[in-house]
Amino acid sequence: MLEKDTICAVSTPPGEGGIGIIRISGPEAVVIAQKIFRARIEKTVAGAASHSIRYGHVVDLETSDVVDEVLLTVMRAPATYTKEDIVEINCHGGTLPLSRTLKLLLRAGARQAEPGEFTKRAFLNGRIDLAQAEAVMDIIHARTELSHRAANEQLLGGLSGEVTDLRDRLLSLLAAVEAGIDFPEEDIETGTGKPLSQEIEEVGSGIERLLESFTFGRIVREGFGTAIVGRPNVGKSSLLNALLRQDRAIVTDVPGTTRDVIEEFLNIDGVPIRIIDTAGIRETHDMVEQEGVRRSIAAIEKADIVLVVLDRSAPLHEGDRKVLEQVRAKRSILVLNKADLPRSIDLPDSDERCIDVSCRTGEGLDELRKAISETVREGAGTAGEHAWAVNQRHRTALEQAQSGIEKALGAARAQMSPEFIALDLRASLDSLGLIIGATYTEDILERIFNDFCIGK
Ligand SMILES: Nc1nc2c(ncn2[C@@H]2O[C@H](COP(=O)(O)OP(=O)(O)OP(=O)(O)O)[C@@H](O)[C@H]2O)c(=O)[nH]1
Ligand SMILES: [Mg+2]
């Protein structure tokens, strides 16, 4: 159902800035803008050519008050963000010019837009598909170059293209199978001459490849979870501060200084890292510290990688062994801290990578950064030319599609009647369609666009 009313919203973030932009979209956009605008030279908004700018004032016609000095851009359907008529008003970037102008627009007949409603219209009007609409928000949220590049690629239609290719293949398979339904005595032949089961398998591996990019997608969106762990006083918080290059966490020579988990965002070579400082792990009777230790252990479980900090100026401690035991199942890097002091640690045999650092002098930190970013790249499967950043919603749809493929494959191999194979192929096709919005429900749209900002 296409909505036909005209919506408006402030599209720039709240606060003060050079300019603030109000966007109006819908069939009445030009007419409504005209009602609150007085051009400096005798010109109407209605007469403006598409994609042209008028200079003038926003005026409250009831009181003749001049509300703001503005530039007004007229963009006519269909070559606009929403494929509807759009007017954008560049106001002064303060709270009042924007809120007063918005109020006038609402009075003139526009409706306040819901979060993401402009982008939702772009989708409903067929300018972009659902995966591209999601990419818009990924672009806005991107905090590193890698995240931004992945989101851009998705907006440009990279993921959508892959999904569409798979759907096209499924569609032609389905046509072949359904042709078989008309001629049950014939063997099912596909256009390429390959056996049906092989064709189905190939679509399945295409889906599998997309599913594999989920880890990469999670990392570019949420950051690579990196937990700093170790027994008390080895320099975990010092490491957090050194990596962040700021005095974020309290550092003292009292063991048990950090009580709570501290999470910060770090950009290493464009890779987003969510770095987590934890309370030193030890047995303690202090209730607060006990809770801290419990949280440290939970953080280890959730992390993509753990940095196990050891004080290399002291012999290996029973507490270190306990921590090493704790992280055994995890990918980890051993950080031998306090390299500015004489070394007295002797390490147990371990396959994990060891890096000597000194949080005091900064020695070894670059090597550690490099090791973290290499681990991310190895683990995230970014080796290919393109790495699609599949999100959780895409993953669920891909898994459903894969299950349809498996059933179809089973049916084809068991030489079941074509109706059954067709049913499963159709289910798989529909699941893939959810990703790009070839099939969608109001519920899906609500879930996606409710996370958007107002004005986008
Ligand atoms: N010489 C030297 N001292 C360090 C280094 N890094 C940390 N320290 C000292 O080690 C002590 C403990 O540092 P923290 O960073 O608070 O240690 P922590 O592991 O966070 O300790 P808890 O929060 O108690 O678990 C402080 O006195 C730091 O100044 C280093 O590279 N060299
Ligand atoms: Mg600490």
Side-chain angles (χ1 to χ4, degrees):
M1 187 191 72
L2 300 188
E3 285 144 275
K4 286 285 176 231
D5 58 350
T6 297
I7 53 174
C8 69
V10 178
S11 284
T12 39
E16 296 172 3
I19 53 172
I21 299 177
I22 292 180
R23 190 188 249 170
I24 315 162
S25 178
E28 300 288 305
V30 171
V31 175
I32 290 171
Q34 177 69 64
K35 287 189 195 163
I36 68 156
F37 179 74
R38 193 181 294 146
R40 189 161 158 266
I41 306 163
E42 281 297 303
K43 277 181 177 170
T44 63
V45 182
S50 186
H51 294 78
S52 68
I53 296 180
R54 289 270 197 268
Y55 166 71
H57 292 91
V58 168
V59 179
D60 181 341
L61 289 181
E62 276 180 15
T63 60
S64 299
D65 262 6
V66 171
V67 171
D68 198 14
E69 179 192 33
V70 300
L71 285 174
L72 184 145
T73 311
V74 177
M75 292 170 273
R76 293 182 193 279
T80 69
Y81 186 69
T82 53
K83 287 188 105 178
E84 303 171 336
D85 281 352
I86 285 190
V87 175
E88 281 182 7
I89 308 178
N90 286 20
C91 298
H92 286 98
T95 313
L96 278 153
L98 288 166
S99 62
R100 289 184 67 195
T101 303
L102 189 71
K103 216 190 255 171
L104 292 179
L105 286 170
L106 297 176
R107 208 167 67 196
R111 168 172 69 75
Q112 166 72 54
E114 285 160 22
E117 198 171 357
F118 294 93
T119 311
K120 185 178 176 183
R121 288 186 172 198
F123 164 67
L124 290 173
N125 293 331
R127 195 179 69 78
I128 52 175
D129 67 35
L130 216 45
Q132 289 174 307
E134 287 171 305
V136 168
M137 219 45 208
D138 288 337
I139 288 178
I140 291 174
H141 288 318
R143 285 194 284 187
T144 73
E145 216 176 275
L146 185 70
S147 318
H148 183 222
R149 241 186 293 138
N152 256 337
E153 207 153 349
Q154 187 167 322
L155 180 62
L156 291 171
L159 176 64
S160 308
E162 293 280 310
V163 172
T164 305
D165 284 351
L166 289 171
R167 291 188 84 235
D168 287 347
R169 291 188 67 173
L170 271 179
L171 266 174
S172 48
L173 278 184
L174 200 58
V177 171
E178 277 169 355
I181 294 176
D182 292 337
F183 310 102
E185 63 281 357
E186 269 182 290
D187 277 336
I188 296 166
E189 276 277 334
T190 62
T192 55
K194 287 184 206 163
L196 177 62
S197 57
Q198 187 184 334
E199 291 271 7
I200 300 178
E201 253 172 16
E202 282 176 15
V203 176
S205 18
I207 294 176
E208 203 52 51
R209 267 201 305 281
L210 287 181
L211 271 170
E212 279 163 12
S213 73
F214 175 69
T215 310
F216 175 71
R218 188 177 56 76
I219 291 168
V220 297
R221 290 191 182 86
E222 292 168 20
F224 190 71
T226 307
I228 306 177
V229 301
R231 70 174 163 87
N233 227 26
V234 288
K236 297 179 295 300
S237 301
S238 305
L239 183 63
L240 176 84
N241 292 347
L243 288 171
L244 290 175
R245 299 190 175 93
Q246 72 179 62
D247 238 348
R248 170 66 180 84
I250 299 172
V251 167
T252 73
D253 55 8
V254 182
T257 298
T258 305
R259 298 303 188 88
D260 213 343
V261 168
I262 300 178
E263 191 172 311
E264 282 293 327
F265 182 81
L266 191 63
N267 178 344
I268 297 184
D269 294 343
V271 178
I273 308 285
R274 220 163 15 87
I275 191 135
I276 302 140
D277 179 25
T278 65
I281 294 175
R282 66 169 169 185
E283 286 187 11
T284 166
H285 295 296
D286 181 319
M287 284 237 311
V288 180
E289 200 180 344
Q290 273 174 3
E291 176 60 18
V293 171
R294 201 188 58 72
R295 289 182 186 202
S296 300
I297 291 166
I300 292 175
E301 272 157 26
K302 275 197 279 173
D304 292 301
I305 188 177
V306 284
L307 307 181
V308 182
V309 183
L310 301 167
D311 177 352
R312 53 158 253 173
S313 71
L316 197 74
H317 187 281
E318 184 48 32
D320 297 323
R321 284 186 222 281
K322 287 220 172 97
V323 173
L324 287 168
E325 182 59 28
Q326 192 76 247
V327 303
R328 218 159 42 116
K330 278 284 180 184
R331 223 160 4 137
S332 49
I333 297 176
L334 303 186
V335 181
L336 307 184
N337 189 30
K338 312 198 185 180
D340 51 296
L341 300 175
R343 171 174 179 142
S344 36
I345 201 167
D346 54 309
L347 278 182
D349 275 348
S350 163
D351 295 336
E352 305 302 342
R353 193 156 169 189
C354 279
I355 296 172
D356 290 86
V357 308
S358 165
C359 295
R360 187 151 289 174
T361 66
E363 174 194 338
L365 289 175
D366 279 343
E367 201 191 327
L368 177 60
R369 283 193 190 93
K370 210 166 130 234
I372 298 173
S373 93
E374 280 168 10
T375 318
V376 182
R377 286 175 201 279
E378 282 160 22
T382 59
E385 188 188 342
H386 299 288
W388 310 123
V390 160
N391 68 21
Q392 184 59 53
R393 190 184 72 82
H394 307 151
R395 174 154 94 156
T396 309
L398 286 167
E399 282 169 351
Q400 282 169 9
Q402 193 65 300
S403 120
I405 287 291
E406 276 157 21
K407 281 190 204 143
L409 197 58
R413 285 197 179 127
Q415 308 211 314
M416 280 164 76
S417 114
E419 290 97 323
F420 290 108
I421 307 174
L423 208 66
D424 295 327
L425 290 178
R426 171 77 60 193
S428 183
L429 184 73
D430 288 346
S431 299
L432 286 179
L434 291 172
I435 298 175
I436 52 176
T439 35
Y440 64 88
T441 59
E442 204 39 56
D443 200 41
I444 291 176
L445 296 192
E446 200 168 295
R447 243 176 296 146
I448 292 175
F449 291 105
N450 274 358
D451 285 344
F452 271 56
C453 350
I454 297 247
K456 187 71 232 177

